Amino acid sequence: MKENFKLGGILLIITMIAGLLLGFANDLTKEAIIENSKINKEDLNAILPVAESIKDMDIEIAEDGTVKEVYEAVKGNDVVGYVLKVTSKGFHGAIDFVVAISKENKVSGIKVLSHSETPGLGAKVAEEKFASRFVDKPATGYLEVVKTTPNKDTEIEAVSGATVSSKASIAAVNDAIAFYLEKIKGEEVAPQAETDANTAASGS
């Protein structure tokens, strides 16, 4: 009986020590976890070169929405744009994007953070060649995907053979634009479904 009490006491002490160590480790890594959830410097420089850093925005984000995180992009004390993390549905699953919109109401850049699209096809949406098609596109309304060479500033040429992945990219950017216009600028935004006819007419 005495041995059982002794063993129980030892286990209790070990459990208490483990709990304290875990709590201490959590405090040490808390800031790193928070920092890792943000856009890194390399990504920021790629999508909004004028910005020096980003900071959290006090803004409401729907839990079930495609926009997951929103930041102000700053240079010195000035806000130079906004950075949004957006998730869209691709051919093989979710595609996570980061979209930057400048104070000039233009898409300054996009980048795919993660995806599971088909190598050589849908995966091409993560390449710079495709991402560059969004640079300087107007963030004043919805963009459209087309299969031929664009003839309007609001059109984005799809990746050949990867229509679904291309549409997922356009949808992500459009969701970012809609959030920017509605939640940040306070403008009324028409439902994206109203642009379906235009998109279909463009050959998507």
Side-chain angles (χ1 to χ4, degrees):
M1 180 69 71
K2 190 178 291 185
E3 286 297 320
N4 288 338
F5 279 119
K6 184 178 180 180
L7 181 60
I10 292 172
L11 289 173
L12 179 61
I13 292 171
I14 291 174
T15 302
M16 290 175 63
I17 292 173
L20 289 171
L21 289 174
L22 283 172
F24 181 66
N26 182 65
D27 286 338
L28 286 177
T29 58
K30 185 177 180 181
E31 290 302 318
I33 292 171
I34 292 173
E35 191 62 34
N36 287 337
S37 72
K38 297 182 179 179
I39 314 302
N40 63 43
K41 192 71 176 177
E42 182 181 347
D43 290 338
L44 182 61
N45 185 60
I47 61 176
L48 191 58
V50 69
E52 296 175 344
S53 62
I54 58 174
K55 63 180 183 179
D56 293 319
M57 285 191 71
D58 183 15
I59 194 166
E60 182 181 354
I61 300 175
E63 291 185 7
D64 59 348
T66 57
V67 175
K68 305 302 182 183
E69 299 174 24
V70 183
Y71 305 98
E72 284 183 332
V74 297
K75 181 178 182 180
N77 295 321
D78 299 324
V79 175
V80 294
Y82 301 90
V83 176
L84 304 92
K85 279 188 176 182
V86 189
T87 297
S88 187
K89 186 177 181 181
F91 189 79
H92 288 295
I95 308 177
D96 295 324
F97 296 84
V98 60
V99 181
I101 298 176
S102 71
K103 291 287 284 187
E104 288 72 39
N105 298 324
K106 290 183 178 293
V107 177
S108 63
I110 75 164
K111 184 172 182 178
V112 172
L113 298 178
S114 64
H115 71 89
S116 55
E117 300 302 273
T118 305
L121 289 174
K124 288 184 177 181
V125 298
E127 297 178 0
E128 174 60 26
K129 181 179 180 180
F130 181 69
S132 64
R133 297 174 187 176
F134 291 87
V135 176
D136 286 336
K137 290 297 182 181
T140 53
Y142 296 122
L143 303 179
E144 304 170 27
V145 62
V146 295
K147 292 181 179 179
T148 56
T149 302
N151 55 32
K152 293 192 298 184
D153 199 29
T154 55
E155 294 179 344
I156 303 291
E157 184 177 357
V159 173
S160 179
T163 303
V164 174
S165 302
S166 298
K167 285 184 175 180
S169 303
I170 302 294
V173 176
N174 279 340
D175 286 345
I177 290 173
F179 189 98
Y180 165 71
L181 293 174
E182 184 176 6
K183 301 294 186 180
I184 298 176
K185 298 196 69 181
E187 299 180 5
E188 289 189 13
V189 180
Q192 192 169 336
E194 292 184 11
T195 66
D196 286 349
N198 293 334
T199 304
S202 299
S204 62

